[in-house]
Amino acid sequence: QVQLVESGGGLVQAGDSLRLSCTASGRTSSRYAMAWFRQAPGKEREFVAAIKWRSGGRTQYADSVKGRFTISRDNAKNTVYLQMVTLKPEDTAVYYCAAASFGLPVTIAAYGYWGQGTQVTVSS
């Protein structure tokens, strides 16, 4: 199985920056897509960003974060990052790392492996 561990969450003020990390271990594949999802209190889990381990590191972003968040990867470390800038209170959520076996999907159902999540709280 694949194990995913997130880190880097915390409490910040609006306009601040934060970088999340997700490290993968176990039976990983270079074909995997890695993604970040988030879930705010009382809301459904939503897609944030995704990246391929290979294929040139092709990426996909939700419209709500495009231009503010950047997903990247370090293949040697089996680690995916989410660099978040100009954070807003509406970015407050638990952020989850996930892995999919094929393609570069944006749906929850396509991802078979999930981390435990890391809390991001943005104050006004």
Side-chain angles (χ1 to χ4, degrees):
Q1 295 185 337
V2 175
Q3 184 178 56
L4 305 175
V5 179
E6 305 100 329
S7 63
L11 174 63
V12 298
Q13 295 181 255
D16 283 354
S17 300
L18 204 60
R19 189 177 77 163
L20 307 182
S21 299
C22 172
T23 299
S25 61
R27 293 180 61 86
T28 58
S29 171
S30 61
R31 296 185 179 89
Y32 280 8
M34 301 295 295
W36 291 96
F37 289 77
R38 67 185 182 185
Q39 187 166 21
K43 302 184 71 174
E44 296 182 352
R45 191 169 299 185
E46 65 175 352
F47 171 79
V48 176
I51 189 169
K52 296 285 287 186
W53 281 117
R54 60 181 186 183
S55 300
R58 184 162 52 95
T59 60
Q60 188 70 258
Y61 294 93
D63 289 342
S64 61
V65 304
K66 190 174 181 63
R68 297 190 299 119
F69 291 9
T70 302
I71 189 169
S72 61
R73 87 277 200 226
D74 185 335
N75 288 17
K77 297 180 179 180
N78 277 347
T79 299
V80 174
Y81 305 96
L82 185 68
Q83 179 66 52
M84 305 181 291
V85 300
T86 59
L87 282 162
K88 306 174 181 179
E90 52 261 45
D91 295 319
T92 296
V94 176
Y95 283 70
Y96 296 92
C97 180
S101 298
F102 304 101
L104 193 63
V106 300
T107 60
I108 293 173
Y111 288 83
Y113 304 100
W114 294 84
Q116 295 298 305
T118 185
Q119 177 72 47
V120 173
T121 302
V122 185
S123 63
S124 301

